[in-house]
Amino acid sequence: MHPQLEEQIKKIQTQLEKADIEDARWEARYIIASLLQIELGELSSYTKDLTAQQEESLQKVVAKRCRHFPLDKIFGSRGFYKFDFVVSEDVLSPRPDTEILVEAALEEIQSRPCQKILDLGTGSGCIILSLLAECPHLRGVAIDASVSALEIAQKNASKLGLTQQVKFLHSSWFDEGCVNLWGKDFDIIVSNPPYIPSADILSLTEEVKAHDPHLALDGGKDGLKDYRQIALKAYEALQKGGKIFLEVGIGQAQEVVRIFEKQKFHLCEIRKDYGGIERCIILKK
Ligand code: GLN
């Protein structure tokens, strides 16, 4: 590797380690590659010296990261499923575990004729937009209670060329009458609602508690407040045979199933995430 680059990587690695950042070596490499707009694998063959301006930007990024700004929110973009999504502090950073929900919903969409999908609490839009991008015949409605989150989701829709396939609605769950606006014939509902019990928010990492919107995290006293609200109206919004795919937090699966069974849903499946935690619940009307 170019000696100046190797020296920079080591210097940044040390700074990050001092700030208690895990994977400091990988992050140092990632930060430099991102600023140079090259792939990680291209670092070893990069031969140019860094300009003074590049070094300055590098130090600004490193200073932010040392204050535990999440990397994706520093660079404004995050890879999720097969695509890159614009992110900001107005949206929850897409998590790899949520890809489980995307894959499960995709299997369903590809196994029977599905035309309409509803995403409750769309945030960056990562779930519904990944599905729409995979299924050009599918049409979607994406709801969020945050106007600034919807702006990010809209940006992502246009970046992925999906604006004709999706409509956005500013609403807290079903409050703004999405069922009256768009009918009761959704084939699929997807949702990653806030599910962290309020009192647990303070014990989350700095990256999450200071940079993900609390509106997208805080699920009330027991973390299940939003599932109860969703369950009240979701049944009505679905076609007969339609399914809802829900992300849940650690240890919440059984209770969330009970909440939906009380509203006439039938459990189809619970899927585990990459860490073996029950993460995605699939229920049928
Ligand atoms: N999975 C997120 C976390 O662990 C929380 C997402 C949510 O509340 N929907 O921070």
Side-chain angles (χ1 to χ4, degrees):
M1 184 178 296
H2 189 42
Q4 192 213 13
L5 214 53
E6 181 57 45
E7 200 184 298
Q8 281 288 355
I9 292 174
K10 282 205 183 116
K11 182 174 139 197
I12 296 170
Q13 180 182 352
T14 311
Q15 287 173 288
L16 295 176
E17 276 166 357
K18 277 195 192 138
D20 277 334
I21 303 286
E22 282 177 31
D23 282 336
R25 168 96 191 158
W26 181 86
E27 286 209 11
R29 288 165 47 85
Y30 180 89
I31 289 170
I32 294 186
S34 300
L35 277 175
L36 295 175
Q37 296 182 319
I38 58 173
E39 298 294 325
L40 270 180
E42 291 171 318
L43 273 178
S44 53
S45 50
Y46 194 83
T47 50
K48 286 187 238 160
D49 280 340
L50 296 184
T51 63
Q53 205 186 359
Q54 283 171 329
E55 287 202 32
E56 197 184 319
S57 325
L58 199 56
Q59 275 317 310
K60 278 193 190 144
V61 169
V62 173
K64 268 191 165 179
R65 186 64 189 120
C66 285
R67 295 198 307 273
H68 287 250
F69 256 78
L71 270 184
D72 62 344
K73 285 179 178 165
I74 294 176
F75 290 110
S77 149
R78 168 100 162 206
F80 172 83
Y81 186 60
K82 296 185 186 172
F83 311 103
D84 275 327
F85 288 88
V86 174
V87 294
S88 75
E89 303 223 347
D90 294 313
V91 298
L92 190 80
S93 291
R95 316 282 206 256
D97 291 326
T98 305
E99 293 172 357
I100 305 282
L101 192 155
V102 171
E103 281 160 10
L106 189 60
E107 280 171 31
E108 175 70 14
I109 295 163
Q110 289 172 341
S111 71
R112 67 184 176 94
C114 289
Q115 278 156 13
K116 274 176 78 177
I117 176 168
L118 172 63
D119 182 8
L120 297 169
T122 197
S124 64
C126 65
I127 299 175
I128 192 167
L129 297 176
S130 297
L131 293 168
L132 294 173
E134 292 284 40
C135 311
H137 68 282
L138 197 64
R139 295 290 174 271
V141 176
I143 287 177
D144 207 284
S146 152
V147 173
S148 31
L150 285 171
E151 282 168 11
I152 299 289
Q154 262 155 343
K155 268 191 201 163
N156 282 317
S158 54
K159 219 176 127 220
L160 293 167
L162 298 169
T163 49
Q164 300 299 312
Q165 273 173 267
V166 62
K167 291 194 165 52
F168 294 97
L169 177 68
H170 179 221
S171 172
S172 174
W173 309 131
F174 293 95
D175 284 1
E176 295 304 319
C178 88
V179 170
N180 295 336
L181 283 173
W182 283 297
K184 301 179 177 179
D185 56 350
F186 286 98
D187 300 289
I188 305 267
I189 299 177
V190 288
S191 184
N192 175 15
Y195 54 65
I196 309 287
S198 308
D200 295 354
I201 304 257
L202 286 178
S203 54
L204 299 173
T205 62
E206 181 68 14
E207 280 82 347
V208 176
K209 74 178 169 211
H211 302 283
D212 274 336
H214 286 206
L215 184 67
L217 293 170
D218 190 342
K221 200 167 186 316
D222 63 356
L224 305 176
K225 164 175 78 71
D226 295 282
Y227 297 104
R228 292 191 189 95
Q229 289 182 23
I230 291 171
L232 287 179
K233 293 276 177 65
Y235 195 83
E236 186 194 354
L238 281 171
Q239 302 240 27
K240 182 140 184 49
K243 287 187 184 170
I244 184 162
F245 295 73
L246 296 161
E247 180 167 318
V248 295
I250 299 175
Q252 293 176 332
Q254 301 306 328
E255 192 48 39
V256 174
V257 168
R258 265 194 291 277
I259 290 170
F260 279 79
E261 281 177 343
K262 260 196 217 157
Q263 304 298 331
K264 301 188 282 188
F265 279 93
H266 300 281
L267 176 64
C268 299
E269 197 189 331
I270 300 179
R271 288 207 185 179
K272 293 190 173 155
D273 67 16
Y274 301 115
I277 289 160
E278 292 185 325
R279 184 63 73 187
C280 173
I281 295 179
I282 307 165
L283 299 121
K284 188 171 182 171
K285 174 167 178 175

